[in-house]
Amino acid sequence: MTSIENGVYTRTIQGLANYEGKSLFNLVRAFEVQAQKAGVDKIVIKGIDIVETRLMNQRGAEILGYTYQELSKNSIELVTFLK
């Protein structure tokens, strides 16, 4: 689910299980491109009911330029501002 409101691009992903050779980096960057095209300056990515918990990685989020917050045992929120 994607929403854009008050200059914030919010993308919610439910049940992320694996990425079978696909780069999580590329997925996040694709969301950034969508947000830039929409003209927003803040991105919020929420992962809900994440099956593949190794994707819940604070260090990886920081490398991508995002703040990382665990919402629950298997849910996270990543936030960044676009330049």
Side-chain angles (χ1 to χ4, degrees):
M1 179 169 72
T2 304
S3 68
I4 299 172
E5 188 173 320
N6 298 324
V8 179
Y9 173 96
T10 303
R11 181 73 178 237
T12 303
I13 306 169
Q14 185 169 3
L16 191 57
N18 65 43
Y19 50 95
E20 298 178 356
K22 294 183 175 76
S23 170
L24 188 59
F25 174 85
N26 289 341
L27 179 64
V28 169
R29 294 301 184 228
F31 295 157
E32 290 174 1
V33 168
Q34 292 174 0
Q36 288 172 331
K37 286 181 180 178
V40 301
D41 57 3
K42 181 178 179 181
I43 299 175
V44 177
I45 300 172
K46 295 181 181 181
I48 309 297
D49 298 328
I50 298 172
V51 176
E52 187 68 52
T53 55
R54 67 187 173 106
L55 298 175
M56 298 174 65
N57 183 318
Q58 182 171 357
R59 179 71 181 127
E62 291 170 353
I63 288 170
L64 292 170
Y66 286 76
T67 59
Y68 174 97
Q69 180 181 6
E70 246 179 67
L71 302 174
S72 70
K73 180 180 163 186
N74 61 348
S75 297
I76 60 172
E77 180 178 85
L78 307 177
V79 179
T80 196
F81 289 89
L82 297 173
K83 298 176 184 176

